[in-house]
């Protein structure tokens, strides 16, 4: 295992945790603006329609993936600057 990969482990864990928190907050904020109800629908709840549940799930997935990719990219860049080597 090279130095960059070893250095990236703690950075990746920290950024992964933070990105989950950020993505969750972003999803809640976006859903409050675009959803008809204040909170996102629960997939097991009977009071919301399939369409609304699936749209919320797709939006959540897109936001989580985008935030995770941004965090991974930023973490790799930091490690590259600190070690001079790529973490891939």
């Amino acid at each position: 295992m090279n130095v960059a990969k070893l250095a990236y482990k703690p950075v990746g864990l920290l950024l992964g945790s933070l990105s989950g928190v950020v993505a969750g907050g972003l999803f809640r904020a976006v859903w409050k603006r675009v959803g008809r109800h204040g909170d996102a629908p629960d997939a097991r709840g009977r009071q919301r329609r399939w369409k609304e549940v699936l749209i919320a799930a797709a939006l959540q997935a897109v936001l989580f993936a985008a935030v995770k990719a941004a965090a991974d990219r930023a973490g790799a860049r930091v490690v590259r600057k600190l070690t001079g080597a790529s973490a891939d």
Side-chain angles (χ1 to χ4, degrees), residues 3-4 7 18 20 26-27 29 33 47 59 67 70 72-73 78-79 81 87:
V3 175
L18 289 175
L26 182 61
F27 171 70
R33 297 191 85 174
Q47 66 274 20
L59 176 63
V67 171
D72 286 345
R73 184 71 177 217
V78 166
V79 168
K81 282 189 178 212

Side-chain angles (χ1 to χ4, degrees), residues 2-5 76-77 79-88:
N2 67 24
V3 175
K5 282 187 178 181
R77 191 171 184 180
V79 168
R80 191 170 33 254
K81 282 189 178 212
L82 293 175
T83 65
S86 180
D88 49 13

Side-chain angles (χ1 to χ4, degrees), residues 4-39:
K5 282 187 178 181
L6 194 59
Y8 185 74
K9 292 285 185 186
V11 172
L13 287 171
L14 177 66
L15 288 176
S17 297
L18 289 175
S19 67
V21 171
V22 169
L26 182 61
F27 171 70
R28 283 187 295 279
V30 169
W31 189 259
K32 282 184 181 180
R33 297 191 85 174
V34 300
R36 288 191 279 190
H37 306 286
D39 294 331

